[in-house]
Amino acid sequence: MGSTDEPNKTSHGYDSSSPSTPLLSKSFPSPSREEDQNESNEEQNHYLQITFNYGPRRFQDLPFMVLFILFCLSTFAFGIFSVFHRNPNSSNVSSFAYDSNTTSCVKQSLSAPPLDYSIQFFICDFFSNYASSSHLLRNLIWTLVITLILSVPFVLGLLWLLRHYTKQIVYVSLPFFLIIPIFFNVYWFVACTVSSNCRDAFPLPYRILLLVFLFLIIGVIVWIIVTNWHRIELTVRIIGIASEALARNLGLFGVLPCLTLGLLIYFVPIVVFLVFARLNGKIVPRVSKGSDEGYSCVWKQDSWVPAYYTLAILTMLWSAAVMVETKAYVTSGTIAQWYFSKDNSPPRRSLRNSLRNAFGPSFGTICFSGSLICVVRVVRAAVDSAKREDIPGIVNVILRCCVNALLSAVDFLNKFMINFAAITGEGYCSSAKMTYELLRRNLLSAVIVETVSTRILAGIIFVLSAIYAIVVWAILNAASNLGVDAYLVSVLAWALLIVVLGFFVHMLDNVIDTIYGSTDCIGLFLPSWAAIPSITGDPKKSGA
């Protein structure tokens, strides 16, 4: 994809057709239509052409990789120390008493208290309830297992629909972008008019004014869709190509869940270390007015424990962000190799090459990107916490809006940055410059592609999951006597299916971003966006 003849790549990722031309050159393929060539040559000379760097890559952003490794090693080193340095008496504080002779707390030799009969009754009651709910548990387990098995054909079927009927799906879904807000706008107006409390608190002129204002906003949305209809068609084509690309690289469905599983396994010892860190301390006497001797024994943690908690939590947050960026990098690298490969010559070991680049030369870039995403998440959590405190004042509202807009912009920039890093092997700053050029020229196209594709895919999986939950409820009602519990089983089945389909949509979103960035890189959006291959045929043979 991208060109009909694959350039011979040197070890530095240059085109052999122009040995002196670097990776970021200013030459572009001719537009698809000859009449557009004269008017587009001058504009295209200002755009950068980027091809996939198949050659060896340099290590980028090494300081961030070293810092991330130091965080991980420090977390594990202090965690192992906390395991061996724990105090075995941390849970037996009540068995210690103050000794005035040694001015310290000493352990008293007391026999173990008998088992409380209430605990026995609780255990018996628990097992009896478990026995009575075994029918519910058995149906729940079988339903979730069957849902997990059926999610595989659901995902493949949805991928097939998006490959062959993209235009129909998008055009059928687009009206809901207007129908849903119109429905809610009319609904709140009618509901407020019917309710006496709302009617008294919100007079009719103000209700009409708000109703008209919301309809004006909906009208602006309609105007944006109509005036940018060619970008909607562009979105249709990109979704179709992205579906084709994902179908040609099904190995991603196995590798990405394994990366998530590896992250969970990596988190297990850290959680264990956090548990054992609480056991590091000593039992010390403290002045107590309620004690006859004036002293009582209390547990005092070591001073380094709170610092270790901070280090471990930061490491976990950073590691989670790094894994998210790694999955996006691997997806982009694999899809880009397919996109830029020659016709009828699918790339070999593309997934392995992407993994090697992600955990090798570009790992520092991924750590850099993950650190920024981690900071964005922390700041956004702080802003949301301040919002829940309901601090009055228009200044606070404006500041929160500005901060949220800035954080959203960083997220948007970072999403395309990791795509360019996977394609070119450049560092964070160079990839960010490419992303800035992309968004500076085509910000509206990027927003429309992002909004339309994400909302449509989210709506599809929600509707599909809801239909499946209704079918599960009907089957359970007909084949079992669960009664009200059938609703609980159906909701859990719906949640499991929507999680699996959500993972698929997240993958497809990354593929769409990669296709969008790759298409812009070869100069197809401005002004000859129509040169993107049609989804009715094989994108690899349509020849962008």
Side-chain angles (χ1 to χ4, degrees):
M1 197 65 172
S3 62
T4 56
D5 296 323
E6 181 185 25
N8 298 322
K9 288 89 179 174
T10 66
S11 59
H12 299 289
Y14 299 167
D15 287 352
S16 62
S17 59
S18 180
S20 60
T21 304
L23 181 65
L24 303 180
S25 64
K26 292 188 178 182
S27 61
F28 278 86
S30 300
S32 61
R33 293 172 295 182
E34 184 177 356
E35 58 269 17
D36 292 336
Q37 183 172 4
N38 294 332
E39 65 183 30
S40 63
N41 281 340
E42 182 178 355
E43 189 174 11
Q44 285 183 344
N45 287 333
H46 298 286
Y47 302 153
L48 298 175
Q49 181 185 6
I50 301 174
T51 58
F52 189 85
N53 183 3
Y54 291 91
R57 301 184 177 188
R58 294 184 305 159
F59 281 84
Q60 305 286 349
D61 302 306
L62 283 175
F64 288 91
M65 180 178 68
V66 173
L67 183 61
F68 177 75
I69 294 175
L70 286 177
F71 264 71
C72 297
L73 293 179
S74 301
T75 300
F76 276 81
F78 282 103
I80 295 173
F81 172 79
S82 68
V83 172
F84 290 99
H85 190 259
R86 70 184 186 276
N87 190 336
N89 297 317
S90 58
S91 59
N92 300 322
V93 180
S94 59
S95 63
F96 281 77
Y98 177 74
D99 186 5
S100 58
N101 296 327
T102 59
T103 65
S104 62
C105 292
V106 295
K107 188 174 184 179
Q108 295 177 338
S109 57
L110 298 175
S111 59
L115 181 64
D116 191 356
Y117 285 104
S118 62
I119 298 178
Q120 295 179 358
F121 291 143
F122 172 78
I123 294 174
C124 295
D125 183 66
F126 172 79
F127 280 105
S128 63
N129 291 336
Y130 174 79
S132 64
S133 62
S134 60
H135 182 61
L136 169 63
L137 186 62
R138 183 171 60 253
N139 282 277
L140 176 61
I141 292 176
W142 276 109
T143 302
L144 294 182
V145 170
I146 294 173
T147 301
L148 193 60
I149 295 174
L150 291 178
S151 64
V152 176
F154 282 165
V155 168
L156 296 179
L158 182 57
L159 183 61
W160 182 83
L161 287 175
L162 291 174
R163 288 174 63 189
H164 298 282
Y165 299 99
T166 313
K167 180 179 293 187
Q168 291 83 349
I169 293 175
V170 172
Y171 288 169
V172 168
S173 303
L174 276 178
F176 289 96
F177 284 80
L178 305 176
I179 295 174
I180 293 177
I182 290 175
F183 170 77
F184 282 107
N185 191 24
V186 175
Y187 176 79
W188 80 261
F189 181 81
V190 174
C192 188
T193 304
V194 173
S195 175
S196 58
N197 294 331
C198 181
R199 187 171 58 247
D200 296 336
F202 202 10
L204 180 61
Y206 293 102
R207 294 200 303 271
I208 296 177
L209 183 62
L210 180 59
L211 181 71
V212 173
F213 177 74
L214 293 178
F215 272 121
L216 287 177
I217 294 178
I218 296 173
V220 171
I221 297 175
V222 174
W223 175 78
I224 292 176
I225 293 176
V226 172
T227 56
N228 294 275
W229 189 252
H230 60 283
R231 292 185 172 94
I232 300 297
E233 297 176 356
L234 175 64
T235 303
V236 172
R237 298 190 179 195
I238 288 181
I239 293 177
I241 298 173
S243 303
E244 179 71 23
L246 190 55
R248 299 293 184 90
N249 296 275
L250 293 177
L252 291 170
F253 286 103
V255 172
L256 298 187
C258 289
L259 291 177
T260 303
L261 180 61
L263 178 66
L264 296 178
I265 296 174
Y266 163 80
F267 278 166
V268 169
I270 299 180
V271 174
V272 174
F273 294 152
L274 289 174
V275 173
F276 278 99
R278 297 177 58 254
L279 308 181
N280 284 259
K282 54 186 177 180
I283 301 175
V284 297
R286 186 181 66 180
V287 177
S288 176
K289 296 181 180 180
S291 176
D292 297 336
E293 298 180 356
Y295 290 92
S296 62
C297 294
V298 296
W299 173 257
K300 181 182 179 182
Q301 282 186 345
D302 291 338
S303 58
W304 59 270
V305 173
Y308 177 73
Y309 263 78
T310 303
L311 173 65
I313 292 174
L314 287 178
T315 302
M316 294 179 71
L317 292 176
W318 195 358
S319 300
V322 166
M323 184 53 64
V324 171
E325 296 302 294
T326 300
K327 291 192 290 186
Y329 183 98
V330 171
T331 303
S332 299
T334 305
I335 297 302
Q337 290 180 68
W338 172 86
Y339 188 86
F340 288 103
S341 63
K342 288 179 63 176
D343 293 343
N344 301 323
S345 299
R348 300 178 57 188
R349 300 188 298 273
S350 58
L351 188 55
R352 186 185 306 176
N353 292 335
S354 297
L355 288 170
R356 184 175 63 248
N357 291 331
F359 291 100
S362 295
F363 190 63
T365 303
I366 293 174
C367 292
F368 192 176
S369 176
S371 65
L372 290 181
I373 293 300
C374 184
V375 171
V376 167
R377 298 293 183 269
V378 172
V379 174
R380 180 164 288 162
V383 172
D384 293 339
S385 177
K387 183 179 180 180
R388 285 192 295 268
E389 293 177 1
D390 197 17
I391 301 176
I394 187 64
V395 177
N396 292 320
V397 175
I398 295 175
L399 288 177
R400 284 201 300 266
C401 292
C402 293
V403 172
N404 285 325
L406 179 61
L407 297 180
S408 300
V410 173
D411 271 338
F412 203 69
L413 178 72
N414 196 80
K415 173 183 288 189
F416 288 100
M417 185 286 308
I418 203 69
N419 296 332
F420 284 119
I423 294 172
T424 65
E426 296 290 327
Y428 187 93
C429 295
S430 299
S431 301
K433 291 179 182 177
M434 302 176 200
T435 306
Y436 170 76
E437 288 297 323
L438 166 69
L439 298 179
R440 183 178 63 85
R441 301 195 305 269
N442 304 306
L443 178 59
L444 187 57
S445 292
V447 171
I448 290 179
V449 170
E450 173 75 14
T451 302
V452 173
S453 61
T454 303
R455 301 301 185 275
I456 288 176
L457 294 175
I460 290 174
I461 66 171
F462 180 82
V463 172
L464 182 61
S465 302
I467 294 174
Y468 177 78
I470 294 173
V471 173
V472 169
W473 174 82
I475 294 176
L476 289 175
N477 272 347
S480 65
N481 56 351
L482 288 177
V484 181
D485 292 333
Y487 291 100
L488 175 62
V489 177
S490 302
V491 169
L492 293 177
W494 170 81
L496 177 60
L497 183 60
I498 205 169
V499 166
V500 177
L501 294 179
F503 171 75
F504 162 73
V505 168
H506 178 69
M507 286 181 55
L508 192 57
D509 274 338
N510 289 333
V511 176
I512 290 172
D513 294 336
T514 303
I515 297 298
Y516 180 89
S518 301
T519 308
D520 181 79
C521 289
I522 58 176
L524 293 178
F525 278 177
L526 289 178
S528 56
W529 59 267
I532 299 178
S534 173
I535 63 172
T536 56
D538 187 354
K540 302 288 290 178
K541 297 180 180 180
S542 301

